[in-house]
Each structure stands twice: as C-alpha cells, then as structure tokens.
Amino acid sequence: MPQKTVPDPREVGELYDQIDNKGVLHFGYWESLEDDTPLAAAADRLTDVVAENLRFAPGASLVDVGCGLGTPAVRIAGQADVRIVGITVSAEQVRKAGERAAGAGVADRVSFQLADAMAMPFADGSFDAAYALESIIHMDRRTALREIARVVRPGGHVVLTDLYDRTGGTAGERSLIHFLAQAWLMSPLIGRDDYPALAADAGLEVVEVRDVTENVLWKTLQQLGDQLAAGDHSMVPEVIVDSLDEEHRDEIIETPAALQGAHELGCLLVTLRKP
C-alpha cells in the first residue's frame, strides 16, 4: 500500500541510525542525461546550486533542515563565510556530521543537533536562510514549512528539494519506486503544482519552482542501477530492501533496469522567500 500518513520522526531517526554506516542514497545534479559526472561530484554540484539560490550575505546564519551526515553544510561553510546549524532526528547522523565538520576544520562555524524540524528549538527569526535537501519528504510539509518560516528572518530565502508523484494518482498496481518510497518512510507524495499553496499557507513567497527530475532524480537512479548491475548493493541499504515484499525485493536486487526506468517520481528544486 502507498504511504498514507506522515511517519513518526522517531521512526525516521531510527531508520537513519541503521543505515549511516552504509552507502546512503544522496541526490546529485547533472547538466543533462548524457552528463557522466560521478555521483559524489554531482552531489556537491547540487549543494552548490542550493547555496547559490539561498542568496546569503557574508556572515549569514543558516539552518540545515535534515542535515544528514553534514556533507552539504561542511561544503557550504568551506566555501563561504557563514555559520550553519544542522538538525536531524538521527543521533548517529549528529555524531558523524560533527566528526565531519571537525575533520574539515569548520566545527567553529558548523554544529549539529538532534531536533525535529516540525518543532524546532529555535526562537523566531534565528536564521538568515534555510535549506532542506532530501529531508522534507519525511515530514508533514505544511508543519515543516511553517516552522522554517518562523525561524527565518524577513527577506531570507528557503531552498529545498522535494519529490512528487508523476502518475497523477492513477489507479493500478503500485510500482517498485512507490514501494521504495513507503519503505523509506516518506510522507504522502505531493503533486507537481502543490508548492504555491504550501508556500502561501506558511507565509512564504514562491521565487521559483523548478522541475529537476531529469537533472537530479533520474540520473541518481540511473547511477544506482549501474552500481547494482555491477554487483554493488551499498547504496540500497539492507534495512530498506528487507522491508519490501518478496516480489519487489527480488526486483530491486536482480533487475537494476527497474530503477533506471522508474519514472513515476519527479523532483522539484524549490526556492521560497520570507516577506
């Protein structure tokens, strides 16, 4: 069955606690479907695109909403004069992200803490800007966006990536990619044109909603399929595969083309502004 409710943040945290020591899926950005940039470099490129859209000034204070292992925060802090606070519901991610910041020599400006993005422990207007890479998919979007708007100062930008359902809710058997979305504890998928209403509800203005499905999602799945075909299963954590039914478990392990041709999901790069 498709995911119908918003997952419990504690369960999301426990999921990521289990997969932190494995190759965790992280999206990249490619210029075209023919671009053969390796995933790690493409992921850095996506971080750079997000940072550019944030339009922050030197000395700005940013919040990384759903910071993961801290790679984007450390990269941004290594290239700009900013202070970043990253939050996550995974205790393991807090620990590993802190180690990453220390190893990169930016721990004096980048910190991480255990916190729920839908109830952030920060005062109103604490940050100049906010970003959320591949994290709002686990949250109630309206609640999360209202919280982000609350902690960002007027004039600040909010940049995020989100997934949407390209099937339009059509009837029929659910695809492999939808089963994966459920296993990864994602919130109910949105439609491509839902962000204007979501932003307005949170008191935010839409600067741009850009469909980056081909640049981001399909290329990531393509590279994932290539790795599976080569016998490398590290980017599909066992805890995710084990949660699938037998038919779909066999499909993801034995048929990489199922991922490479999975076009049911789309990806948006969203830039918002707090008036």
Side-chain angles (χ1 to χ4, degrees), residues 37-245:
T37 301
L39 178 58
D44 285 343
R45 184 187 290 163
L46 179 58
T47 296
D48 294 343
V49 170
V50 167
E52 181 179 355
N53 286 4
L54 284 171
R55 305 179 190 179
F56 53 77
S61 175
L62 314 179
V63 59
D64 182 338
V65 181
C67 61
L69 298 177
T71 306
V74 168
R75 180 171 178 81
I76 292 172
Q79 296 179 329
D81 175 20
V82 294
R83 303 186 71 85
I84 303 176
V85 177
I87 62 170
T88 173
V89 291
S90 165
E92 276 297 294
Q93 288 187 340
V94 171
R95 181 178 67 83
K96 292 181 179 294
E99 292 174 350
R100 184 181 300 275
V106 296
D108 58 327
R109 294 184 291 116
V110 180
S111 63
F112 304 95
Q113 63 187 78
L114 193 66
D116 181 357
M118 295 181 288
M120 287 190 263
F122 308 122
D124 295 1
S126 294
F127 302 97
D128 295 304
Y131 63 95
L133 278 169
E134 303 154 36
S135 58
I136 203 167
I137 57 175
H138 297 297
M139 307 172 196
D140 178 87
R141 290 171 178 83
R142 292 187 183 276
T143 303
L145 287 171
R146 289 170 185 166
E147 271 294 272
I148 292 171
R150 182 184 65 80
V151 302
V152 170
R153 300 183 183 107
H157 285 77
V158 177
V159 181
L160 59 90
T161 55
D162 201 352
L163 301 181
Y164 71 93
D165 190 342
R166 299 183 74 247
T167 66
T170 55
E173 183 179 355
R174 303 297 285 179
S175 67
L176 169 63
I177 204 71
H178 284 87
F179 277 92
L180 277 174
Q182 180 183 2
W184 218 290
L185 298 182
M186 292 184 189
S187 297
L189 293 168
I190 61 170
R192 185 186 186 280
D193 300 320
D194 286 355
Y195 259 93
L198 288 168
D201 180 76
L204 297 168
E205 299 174 343
V206 174
V207 176
E208 181 184 36
V209 178
R210 180 181 171 194
D211 193 324
V212 292
T213 301
E214 292 189 9
N215 306 85
V216 174
L217 184 62
W218 290 355
K219 282 292 295 186
T220 299
L221 293 175
Q222 183 183 80
Q223 291 215 3
L224 175 57
D226 289 343
Q227 290 193 11
L228 288 171
D232 179 2
H233 299 162
S234 63
M235 288 188 66
V236 184
E238 292 178 8
V239 65
I240 298 295
V241 176
D242 291 346
S243 69
L244 300 174
D245 59 73

Side-chain angles (χ1 to χ4, degrees), residues 228-229 233 246-258:
L228 288 171
H233 299 162
E246 184 175 354
E247 175 186 355
H248 289 91
R249 186 183 307 126
D250 291 343
E251 186 177 2
I252 194 171
I253 295 301
E254 298 177 5
T255 314

